[in-house]
Amino acid sequence: MMKNAAFWAGVDYGAKFRASTAITFLKKKTITTVLSPKKTDVDLWLEDFLQKEGIHVVFMDAPLSLPKIYFDPLDQESSHHFRQVDRELGAMSPLFLGGLTARAMAFKQKIEKRGATVLETYPSAILRKRFSEKTLDEALLLIASEVEFAFPSIDGMNPHEKDSILAWYAGYRYHKKESMIFGRKEEGQIFL
């Protein structure tokens, strides 16, 4: 059994006032997924939720940094559009995601001031790198057979809830010291 299994969560981070943010965490040895309420400020809801559940490490599906050139203009490895990790994993530019990136970066800063850790993950890359040629549902069933916790039924889950499970799985692999890590530490890394 993993130590401190209840202290991390996977978050599929979505629009600020839509029910498009999902969080997966461990509660009483059961993997639990919760969707944000409609017409609620998701950042305030998520901050409160993490605090109430005692979650100290968050694996977030959202860009948490900008290309290094924005804070080090002499960096020769940066572009103005993509971080190295985005190029490695075929991810969208954090700039293309604009407001979501800015919100995620602000959320990370606020949560980390309280002593939590927020790490970036990318469910689509988890699917490609760890479960090549499997559908999302097939990958989730493989995860269910791998982990030692009760797994939720994926029937009726929306894509945000399913992606939050993959984000949680990134945390599971991280805590087992089996993460695949992409990108440059000084610019931004993604944990799979």
Side-chain angles (χ1 to χ4, degrees):
M1 181 63 90
M2 301 178 88
K3 285 186 172 183
N4 301 325
F7 298 115
W8 84 85
V11 174
D12 184 51
Y13 195 61
K16 188 158 182 154
F17 290 102
R18 293 195 183 124
S20 60
T21 293
I23 183 167
T24 295
F25 64 107
L26 197 64
K27 188 165 193 162
K28 297 181 181 175
K29 299 183 183 179
T30 300
I31 298 169
T32 304
T33 300
V34 178
L35 191 62
S36 61
K38 292 179 182 176
K39 298 180 182 178
T40 299
D41 182 324
V42 74
D43 298 335
L44 295 175
W45 172 81
L46 188 56
E47 181 183 359
D48 185 54
F49 190 94
L50 295 171
Q51 193 166 9
K52 282 181 183 172
E53 294 297 332
I55 296 166
H56 303 294
V57 183
V58 179
F59 289 82
M60 185 174 276
D61 176 20
L64 298 174
S65 62
L66 294 175
K68 188 176 177 194
I69 200 160
Y70 288 104
F71 52 93
D72 181 2
L74 301 178
D75 184 71
Q76 297 298 309
E77 296 179 45
S78 278
S79 88
H80 282 85
H81 299 283
F82 296 96
R83 302 169 297 172
Q84 179 180 316
V85 71
D86 303 317
R87 293 189 302 264
E88 288 176 12
L89 294 175
M92 283 190 273
S93 165
L95 300 166
F96 177 78
L97 296 170
L100 182 95
T101 300
R103 281 184 40 237
M105 289 171 62
F107 183 80
K108 173 185 175 170
Q109 186 177 40
K110 187 175 186 179
I111 295 302
E112 288 189 340
K113 280 182 182 173
R114 289 196 346 223
T117 300
V118 182
L119 301 172
E120 187 175 340
T121 190
Y122 185 28
S124 295
I126 294 170
L127 195 58
R128 283 193 320 269
K129 297 283 187 184
R130 293 211 180 270
F131 303 100
S132 60
E133 299 184 28
K134 301 282 186 219
T135 66
L136 176 55
D137 286 355
E138 289 170 337
L140 292 174
L141 293 174
L142 288 171
I143 291 170
S145 68
E146 178 184 338
V147 300
E148 63 269 22
F149 310 113
F151 205 82
S153 170
I154 59 172
D155 293 338
M157 277 191 181
N158 70 33
H160 304 295
E161 292 167 305
K162 291 177 181 181
D163 276 355
S164 76
I165 294 173
L166 287 176
W168 177 88
Y169 182 67
Y172 177 81
R173 303 284 299 192
Y174 177 85
H175 284 88
K176 290 184 75 165
K177 301 189 181 342
E178 297 174 355
S179 286
M180 296 171 69
I181 304 170
F182 295 86
R184 298 188 291 164
K185 193 171 190 176
E186 66 274 11
E187 181 181 49
Q189 292 181 308
I190 289 179
F191 296 79
L192 306 181

